[in-house]
Amino acid sequence: MVHAVAALSASLFLLGITPSLETRHTIVNIVGYVLYVPEYPAMIVRNIAMTLSNWFIGRDELNKKIEDLSKEVELLRIENSAMSSKITRMEFSVPTEHAEVVVRNPDSWWSEIRINAGVSNGLDVGSPIYSGGFLIGRISSIEGNFSWVELLTSSSLMLPIVVEETRDLGVIGGDGEGNVWLHYVPENRGIKEGMTISTALVGNKLPPGLRIGTISGESIISPNGFRSMRVAIGADLSKLYSVSFIKPEGVGQ
Amino acid sequence: MIKYLIFAWLTQDFFAVVMSDAILIPDIYLMCIIFWSFSIKDAPMELDIFLIWAAFVGGLLWDLRWIGVPGFFSLLYVFSFLCAKWIWDLFPKSGQTVMVFFLISWGVQLPGFIISLYLWSVKTALYLQLFLLYQAYSIPLAAFFSLLFARRVKMRNV
């Protein structure tokens, strides 16, 4: 009886204190590290199962072609972005690398993911992460072989962007519920649905011109005359099994 | 027993990794705990104490790996185990049959399923579909552990 009450109390205590606990990420990281080895066969099985299911529905070859083309388009988009802005801080001759999403907690589903790539893969805090050629977020914390990625839909990530058709500058921010909004756009600027948005100059880790998505029709007007418009991000964050990033030349070779 | 519990937890984790999330994952670990608790005749109090803390630790690990909020599944596992144990002890020894074991082990998986729906913000329209899917593995899982229980009872009575 005493043990039952103690175990229940300990659980409730943990539930009560952990939302404000700073070390929560560290503990989750340690568990992730420890379980990486026993989970490795499961990840192989998952990849095999996905390949087999593609094969069974007779679309394997087609999917492979699409995958190759997607990678090519992804690389070209990034190259194009960097070339057009005359900033070539990274070597784009190296193909993009892929990483698996290993943790995506339900309480922070739209805020962050953990991937199995880190410092050893040439990543750094602030490095951009892509999916399908579109920016999905940036590295918020990093370790040797793992890192946490803050997603565009996170309410704590604000990114300066540019509307490519009008060259208007604004800021995008998530609402933590899967939506991304473009803020601080004057109402009379003629920004319309379907216009493309990409990153504006932020810093040396996030080059300008990275594709994010398009403006969608929904908008809200704030009392001070600024409009917040909903952004349809190019990547599908609901189906985020793997992500890509650019591996700087010389890393891990 | 510890090695069986570790194996059960890793098996449950294996399914979660293969399915890429932890929404519809059978509670193999909890079932294993209940199996050990019910299948040992005249089990000492120490065994139940050990299993309570095993439920706590297993749930905590599950929280840290899949939920990100420590305490959620540890509370669920401990509470479910205690409820199952309480119901089991309500029956006289002669009434602690394989069918009762099956019903308890099937029912004990329900709270985990309901909490998962809440945690993963599943749309209401999908509740019935997911519930039917859940039955597709929870009933065979309960049946599997019931068979193990029946086998153990038979061996005990030989």
Side-chain angles (χ1 to χ4, degrees):
Chain A
M1 185 67 180
V2 176
H3 287 270
V5 173
L8 288 172
S9 304
S11 303
L12 287 168
F13 176 73
L14 285 171
L15 264 178
I17 62 156
T18 42
S20 56
L21 205 63
E22 293 288 322
T23 51
R24 194 171 66 151
H25 260 175
T26 315
I27 302 165
V28 171
N29 283 342
I30 293 167
V31 173
Y33 264 126
V34 173
L35 289 173
Y36 184 72
V37 175
E39 283 179 357
Y40 194 72
M43 291 181 84
I44 293 171
V45 170
R46 187 180 74 178
N47 291 339
I48 292 171
M50 285 173 82
T51 311
L52 275 177
S53 67
N54 284 340
W55 184 78
F56 274 117
I57 57 174
R59 291 166 59 188
D60 191 40
E61 200 177 333
L62 192 61
N63 283 342
K64 180 83 176 67
K65 276 184 186 171
I66 291 169
E67 196 181 320
D68 290 345
L69 285 169
S70 301
K71 280 180 188 169
E72 204 176 320
V73 169
E74 187 176 339
L75 195 62
L76 286 170
R77 272 184 185 149
I78 298 163
E79 268 183 321
N80 185 41
S81 303
M83 284 165 73
S84 64
S85 58
K86 308 289 184 197
I87 292 178
T88 50
R89 288 186 174 85
M90 300 179 193
E91 285 295 333
F92 291 106
S93 57
V94 181
T96 51
E97 291 285 317
H98 289 262
E100 303 270 348
V101 176
V102 289
V103 172
R104 194 171 182 186
N105 294 324
D107 68 325
S108 54
W109 186 259
W110 298 112
S111 301
E112 58 183 2
I113 53 171
R114 189 166 183 260
I115 59 172
N116 61 352
V119 176
S120 58
N121 302 88
L123 290 172
D124 201 356
V125 172
S127 297
I129 301 295
Y130 311 90
S131 177
F134 292 92
L135 184 73
I136 58 157
R138 54 195 300 187
I139 301 284
S140 57
S141 65
I142 194 159
E143 301 154 54
N145 296 312
F146 294 95
S147 41
W148 287 92
V149 179
E150 189 166 25
L151 299 174
L152 293 178
T153 43
S154 165
S155 55
S156 58
L157 181 65
M158 303 287 271
L159 283 182
I161 59 92
V162 61
V163 181
E164 290 191 349
E165 286 82 355
T166 62
R167 305 309 296 171
D168 276 308
L169 291 168
V171 173
I172 59 162
D175 59 4
E177 293 178 356
N179 305 309
V180 177
W181 295 87
L182 167 61
H183 303 292
Y184 311 131
V185 181
E187 205 191 341
N188 55 356
R189 295 301 298 171
I191 295 173
K192 292 175 187 159
E193 185 178 353
M195 288 185 171
T196 314
I197 62 163
S198 54
T199 52
L201 186 63
V202 183
N204 58 354
K205 294 279 167 39
L206 205 60
L210 302 177
R211 295 285 176 95
I212 293 172
T214 54
I215 302 285
S216 89
E218 200 178 333
S219 67
I220 309 165
I221 297 169
S222 66
N224 51 11
F226 285 98
R227 206 162 34 144
S228 291
M229 304 184 78
R230 194 168 168 178
V231 176
I233 50 176
D236 187 355
L237 295 188
S238 299
K239 295 174 183 169
L240 212 54
Y241 296 106
S242 63
V243 295
S244 53
F245 59 91
I246 296 167
K247 189 175 183 177
E249 198 175 21
V251 175
Q253 289 175 0
Chain B
M1 187 190 298
I2 293 175
K3 66 182 177 187
Y4 288 114
L5 289 176
I6 293 172
F7 179 74
W9 195 95
L10 288 174
T11 309
Q12 188 172 319
D13 186 53
F14 178 90
F15 282 114
V17 175
V18 169
M19 294 173 78
S20 302
D21 55 49
I23 302 178
L24 287 169
I25 303 301
D27 283 322
I28 300 169
Y29 183 72
L30 180 61
M31 299 294 289
C32 200
I33 286 174
I34 288 168
F35 169 75
W36 280 110
S37 174
F38 293 2
S39 62
I40 295 174
K41 195 180 180 183
D42 301 323
M45 180 65 87
E46 286 75 22
L47 177 73
D48 282 335
I49 292 170
F50 168 76
L51 290 173
I52 286 171
W53 288 108
F56 175 79
V57 173
L60 188 61
L61 271 176
W62 192 257
D63 288 328
L64 291 171
R65 175 62 184 91
W66 290 104
I67 311 298
V69 184
F72 229 108
F73 268 77
S74 53
L75 180 68
L76 176 81
Y77 281 179
V78 172
F79 183 74
S80 300
F81 171 64
L82 290 172
C83 286
K85 183 73 182 159
W86 176 67
I87 295 168
W88 183 251
D89 287 342
L90 286 179
F91 288 86
K93 295 281 179 200
S94 59
Q96 292 175 345
T97 60
V98 176
M99 183 51 76
V100 173
F101 180 91
F102 172 79
L103 289 174
I104 290 176
S105 53
W106 173 72
V108 87
Q109 297 176 72
L110 263 172
F113 169 72
I114 293 164
I115 283 183
S116 294
L117 291 181
Y118 163 73
L119 273 176
W120 296 88
S121 307
V122 176
K123 287 178 184 170
T124 321
L126 292 172
Y127 279 10
L128 180 66
Q129 190 185 344
L130 286 177
F131 182 74
L132 292 174
L133 265 174
Y134 153 76
Q135 297 303 322
Y137 67 79
S138 66
I139 292 175
L141 187 70
F144 172 74
F145 275 94
S146 301
L147 280 175
L148 287 182
F149 177 76
R151 188 167 167 266
R152 204 170 173 90
V153 170
K154 193 177 173 187
M155 285 169 69
R156 207 164 59 191
N157 294 335
V158 168

